Amino acid sequence: MVHAADYLRDIKPVLKARCYACHGALKQKAGLRVDTAANIRKGAKSDSIVIPGDPERSELLIRVTSGDEHERMPPEGAPLKAHEIAAIREWITAGLPLPENEKAEIDPKEHWAFQVPKKVTLPENSANPIDVILDRRRAALNLKTQPEANRTILLRRLYLNLIGLPPTMEQLADKRPWEEIVDELLKNPQHGERWARHWMDIWRYTDWYGLGKQLRNSQKHIWHWRDWIVESLNSDKGYDRMIQEMLAADELAPEDPEALRATGFLARNYYLFNRTTWLDSTIEHTAKAFFGLTINCAKCHDHKYDPITQEDYYRFRAIFEPHQVRLDPLPGVMDFEKNGLPRVFDDHLDIKTYLHLRGDPKNPDKTRVLDPGVPAVLATFAPEIKPVQLPIYAYAPAVRDYVQADHLSAAKASVDASKKDLVEAQKKAANALKEKPEVQTKPIKSATKFNVTDDFSKHNTELWEVIGKGWQFKDGAARQTISTRGAERLVLRPKLPRDFELTCRYTHTGGNVYRSVTFRFDVSSDLKYANYVYTSAHAPGPKLHVAYTRDGTSTYPPEGRVAQPIQIGKPYTIRLAVRDRLVNVWLNDKFQIAYSLPDRGPSGQLLLSGFDATVAFDDIYVRSLPTDVKLVESKNNVPELKSVSSVEVSQSKLAVTQSRLAALQAIFDAEKKRGNETAFNAASHSAAKREAEALKVEGEYELKAFAKDGKKVSAAQRKIANAEKKITALNESNGSYTPLRVTKKALESPAHKEDQYPAVYPDISTGRRSALAQWVTSHKNPLTARVAVNHVWLRHFGEPLVETVDDFGLRAKNPLHRELLDHLAVEFMESGWSFQYLHRLIVNSRAYRLGSSSKDVDLSTLSADPDNHYYWRMNTRRMESQVVRDSLLHLAGMLDSSMGGPSVDPGDSVRRRSLYFKHSRDQQDNLLKKFNDADHLQCYRRTESIVPQQALALYNSKLSVEMAGLIASRFEEGNFIQKVFQFVLGRSPDEDEMKACRQTLSELESVARGVQKTKADERARRGLVHALLNHNDFISIR
Amino acid sequence: MNVNRRMFLGNAGLGFGSLALSAILRGGESGVNGLPHFAPKAKSVIWLFMRGGVSHMESFDPKPMLNKLAGKSIGETRFKYVQDRDRLKKVRVVVVNDANGQQRNKLYPLQVGYKRYGQSGIGVSDWFPHIGGCIDDIAVVRSMWTTDDNHGAQVQFHSGRHMLDPRVPTIGAWVNWGLGTLNENLPQFIGMGPRYFDRSDGHYLGPAYDEVKLKIDPKNPLDYAQPPADKISEEEQKLGFGLVNRLNQMSLEQYPGDSRLEARIKAYELAYRMQTSVPNVVNFDKESEATKKLYGFNQKETRTFGQQLLSARRFVEQGVRFIQIMHGSGAAGAWDQHSNLKAKHSELAMQVDRPIAGLLKDLKSRGLLDETLVVFATEFGRTPGSQGSNGRDHHPYGFSVWLAGGGIRGGVTHGTTDEIGFHTEENPHYVTDVHATLLHQLGLEAERMEVPGHKRLEADFGHIIKDIIV
């Protein structure tokens, strides 16, 4: 026979899991609730769903067993299992026996966490409210607390909790009153560092990461936000203000870069590839962190447990839809790789938000634009959203004084630098004139005068200067006998006329790779300029080639090349005729090529040489080229490129920097007048002119600087023409300048480019985020203060008051200590949301100061509350990973206490506090990782595992061995064990512990003596300290 | 005793048989205390994962039709239908407008031949002749699909969740969590080779369930395996650990019932033993030359992977539950031939083919194959159409994996793709079906593996591929 008990055991859990979401208190689809047996009997709005005794005609059974997928309940997921259906059938058959006093699901609006918290009424002059409330609860159960922990353990607990570092020997001996020490620690800037790390967990701090150099997640220089957290905690900024700044500093304090750092909270969610993913993270973690709701569960469908609809989700998204991320410049730095302030701003004011059907961004419901809003169930106290007019400072960052100053001083520095360059160039030119007057000598112009012949029967020293090794004049030839790529050459002493003709008989006699014979003319004294013709017996492509060297770089124009089967050992007669830039070449009397050189140098210097080759020059004949000799025109006849002196180039460069400076000044002048239309337009017009002028000057400079490069020359010419056109246009009518880009907006998608974004941003912000921030921090918001208090409590007591720290929705049961939570939440708000007030309240309580041991516990207390739900003792916790490392360094006196600044690469040799380590998917300190470091994706509460890898890390890491040695060296021999034990573990050893340590120390010493001759005692002491650092009490907060 | 859920997770991760303690800590739920839900067929898993995507057509699902249609556009063949919008919509894009993960229309012929192997006559490409030789011990599943068209598919294959969904534990972490240990001296979930995605396996199960990363280096096989050189002698360390143990035991008198302290004491005991036990497993001095050769130690191309596989066998012998070996380094994984498929795939196949066959033979000859499940998997397949002139793109709609040993039928294929290898046809399987099958062989029921507060989706559990089970 089926009883009500069977319903409760076999059926109700199934209905709860599969049906309540749509047919319970949260929703009553078709007017049906199945959350009690009575409701099941009552049925839907229109019909009953059960006929007692007749399961097969009962709608309930028909629907859960239907073969038609559209009919079958539940509509999502697998059908009910056979045994579940059987239980329902039997229950109906038995006539639906009802259990007594079955309670319906509560109305979600009645959920405890949705009610405004209230203070507990305390007796006048009563002790700490925490103790009053807990004592009452304990008294009711007759629970007895453990005695207060001993003083040094207590001080160690306090130091670790408030500043994250264990006390020194002096601090352990501090006799001042507790409250005084508490106040001092809260004032210690290390307190901000300790608690910042907690909030960095909750607010998901991560440094940027991506792939290679591509920024994909978070932002560069996001550490500014970390510094803001530390500073905010140290100055005890109200938590309400902190939230407001994190969500909307750009609207609430648009001109305060200090406050803007806070928006790193949002910038951290940046994700290059997918805006929906980016916003999903923003939505999920804003809600979880600040008001403990899992809004994220309503992305694809209405929330299964909480009164949050899918529409709520997308309304919440609409709050963030317009915002984007950018880097603002910081004073003194113009390179965003070096520094910059990541911050958010509203960019797309009119962007629409649609509900994504089934959470699919490809499937938006475009029939309805959703307005921004907070979840409807808590929207009664939501403020109206009002757009915010932004100051110029925010939307046109080029008006900022420091930005202008930085840009102007950079521009001025360029002017100064080019002035210096000019002086240098002038000096060089003057020196060149003094030292090498022949450079300026004009080549001999006479057409008849020049005539040189040599058969190389001997070295005619008047004609030829020999440079380098290997030259021999023998067997009627000038021979280069070693194959080199060096500067070996024959230099013809007389200077060639500009137009000349050269005929030379020669033989390639051998060589390595290129095996070339080269005839260079117009060679400058530093060899950086030359025109030349060479033949090469290079195996894959023997050839004849006309080529040239400019500024030391050789160019081998394809138009100057002719393939020729040059062979080793075969004599060739080359003839070149050069007229102005035109070169004609014959080989063995056969015409080969006509080529126009880009220009001709003035030196008149001729060189003969091999390159990678040995060669024999048999005879040579050089004369002025008779005017009547006709030459073949070249096909590459390009206009002559002018050679420009470096002085001219430098002058032109100076003009560029000066005109840029002038343009910049004009632009800034205009920027300052933004807001005053007439003045702005006038200034803008003149800035535009300056800008065009600067462009022209730039073109003129390029024309000179790149005179040898045809392509760049024509680009420069276009630039000038363009600039002139602009100038003309500006003379005729108004125009405006190109706004200066002084910020760096994060790419919205990898397909975008930075310069497609405007340099000036919208002058209005939607006000959506500041309205959200006001709602979150309203005293009427029942969640925010409770969630924060719960986080703080957890980190002092090791256990939270509400177990699901990021979910205060309907799945969070009414907490055991709700009164306490509510009372603290209200006091917290009333204190001006002061964390330091809350800390003081907590650590000054008696509950906080109880011992953590259950030794000699009252047995009835233990059996009534074995899990310490009533805080009859303190809970022991393990140090967070950062505290483990920081404590090691601190005890060794090695902790670098400098605060703030860019994140540092993790590593064994770093001495900064651990919160300054880079922390991202790609970078995490290996030691920290072993001790449950914060998951950069989500860490509302640290996990606390106990695994052997931790033991290995603490025993075998370089850091712990090194610190053990340093700690040991801080203590003298006398009473060493006693002192160092207390220093490392915060308490004195008892007799047994003393004995064990003493014994091991002496054993270590005798081992050490076997290993090293000197300082064996030091080594042994290090060994002892090292063991103490591995004592469970070291990494525990007792 | 102050025991909460979080602690019990922490403790169970010790992976050693502190049965009394973890029994209390774990409560009675799923796969506790190393006790499976029902009699297991397999004790251990060797999970071989090819990073990137192995071309299914050119490995375990040969498609001669591609040679016939080579050069044709899909749209002009009778397989036009494969590109119907509805058939393509299960893919979820992470990287919008990526150059990769696109439709490739021009059918690309097979870049390698194939043969029928063994009594079963299953076709395997010529790039995997040694694995082909073991085909009668292997069940090939030719009908896998996934939903990520980019390398997030690596996360997806291990966790069952798409990159855009919240991170959940990977299969290795679940096995580690679900089963206790068979060896008190070794971690239970060991990983080797490169990996790119998430740094965590355990996620909400806690880092205790992450893989313990090992290197094939007997001197330093895992992080902090040894103290810094010359700083602490063996004898000193023994004294040190001894003192730690004694002091902690004394502390236990001060803090009676402190479960963390008890766990810490155990952890130090295990850590001390691990310092010798782990290096021993990756020390191959006692292995015969014949065995080493079987794994390809004698060739430079196969040596690295062969060493990892041999150590995997040695870990299996020692009772380690899950050994995860990833092959193919590089950000996107080596098996990612958007171009140059023939040259690179043949090179990579050569690196793994002989060692894997060696592993299967070695396990079999030692009688270990029956209780060891070997899985060969990859992120996705590759497109039947060509990318560029000589590559194939990512292909999530149909690809192959195989399983062997641990109660898996040998010499069978299961499921099919269409004739050009585009879509799954018969018996399609999502990646978690492999997980479900594997858990089933280990004696675990996926649906019963759940942690309060972390609802799992139906798709997370998968469905057992019954046809390939003995």
Side-chain angles (χ1 to χ4, degrees), chain A residues 88-160:
Chain A
I88 295 171
R89 179 180 283 115
E90 282 169 36
W91 182 51
I92 299 175
T93 308
L96 302 137
L98 297 184
E100 277 173 44
N101 303 324
E102 190 187 12
K103 280 202 185 109
E105 275 197 311
I106 62 152
D107 180 345
K109 283 191 191 126
E110 303 296 315
H111 177 54
W112 70 268
F114 296 162
Q115 314 311 309
V116 175
K118 287 194 187 74
K119 269 210 274 195
V120 174
T121 323
L122 298 168
E124 247 176 83
N125 297 327
S126 64
N128 191 305
I130 295 168
D131 294 319
V132 175
I133 296 167
L134 284 177
D135 280 343
R136 277 187 200 159
R137 301 295 306 266
R138 293 189 202 107
L141 291 167
N142 208 14
L143 302 175
K144 297 195 172 54
T145 58
Q146 290 292 86
E148 188 169 299
N150 86 38
R151 172 89 176 173
T152 56
I153 289 278
L154 212 43
L155 283 169
R156 188 174 190 267
R157 180 189 297 167
L158 186 72
Y159 272 76
L160 289 172

Side-chain angles (χ1 to χ4, degrees), chain A residues 22-88:
Chain A
C22 299
H23 300 291
L26 195 56
K27 280 193 227 163
Q28 301 85 41
K29 288 204 172 170
L32 174 66
R33 286 178 73 146
V34 296
D35 55 331
T36 61
N39 278 336
I40 293 170
R41 277 207 177 185
K42 205 189 285 168
K45 211 179 335 177
S46 49
D47 273 309
S48 64
I49 60 160
V50 282
I51 302 169
D54 191 351
E56 305 312 321
R57 282 175 54 223
S58 293
E59 187 72 6
L60 174 61
L61 199 77
I62 292 169
R63 293 296 288 274
V64 299
T65 55
S66 171
D68 179 349
E69 273 196 44
H70 300 288
E71 278 286 301
R72 191 181 58 227
M73 285 286 154
E76 280 178 29
L80 297 188
K81 296 195 172 115
H83 68 90
E84 294 165 348
I85 291 170
I88 295 171

Side-chain angles (χ1 to χ4, degrees), chain A residues 808-869:
Chain A
F808 278 48
L810 266 66
R811 278 171 300 176
K813 289 196 197 88
N814 194 355
L816 182 64
H817 298 294
R818 177 167 164 203
E819 273 190 333
L820 179 58
L821 175 71
D822 287 3
H823 183 91
L824 292 177
V826 178
E827 277 212 27
F828 176 53
M829 288 191 276
E830 287 175 351
S831 73
W833 304 76
S834 159
F835 279 127
Q836 296 199 3
Y837 177 89
L838 187 60
H839 290 311
R840 208 171 271 122
L841 200 59
I842 290 174
V843 300
N844 285 336
S845 71
R846 204 172 61 82
Y848 179 83
R849 290 188 277 182
L850 295 178
S852 64
S853 168
S854 37
K855 200 179 181 195
D856 303 325
V857 62
D858 165 61
L859 283 179
S860 69
T861 298
L862 186 62
S863 66
D865 181 20
D867 293 335
N868 192 32
H869 291 310

Side-chain angles (χ1 to χ4, degrees), chain B residues 370-429:
Chain B
D370 292 341
E371 54 188 40
T372 307
L373 183 58
V374 181
V375 180
F376 176 98
T378 187
E379 295 173 15
F380 33 53
R382 305 210 76 87
T383 50
S386 62
Q387 180 175 13
S389 63
N390 58 4
R392 295 187 189 275
D393 206 341
H394 309 154
H395 190 75
Y397 305 101
F399 64 103
S400 304
V401 303
W402 59 254
L403 296 83
I408 295 292
R409 290 170 63 195
V412 296
T413 64
H414 172 82
T416 59
T417 49
D418 52 46
E419 280 180 275
I420 58 169
F422 201 108
H423 287 294
T424 57
E425 256 177 8
E426 285 168 28
N427 299 314
H429 290 289

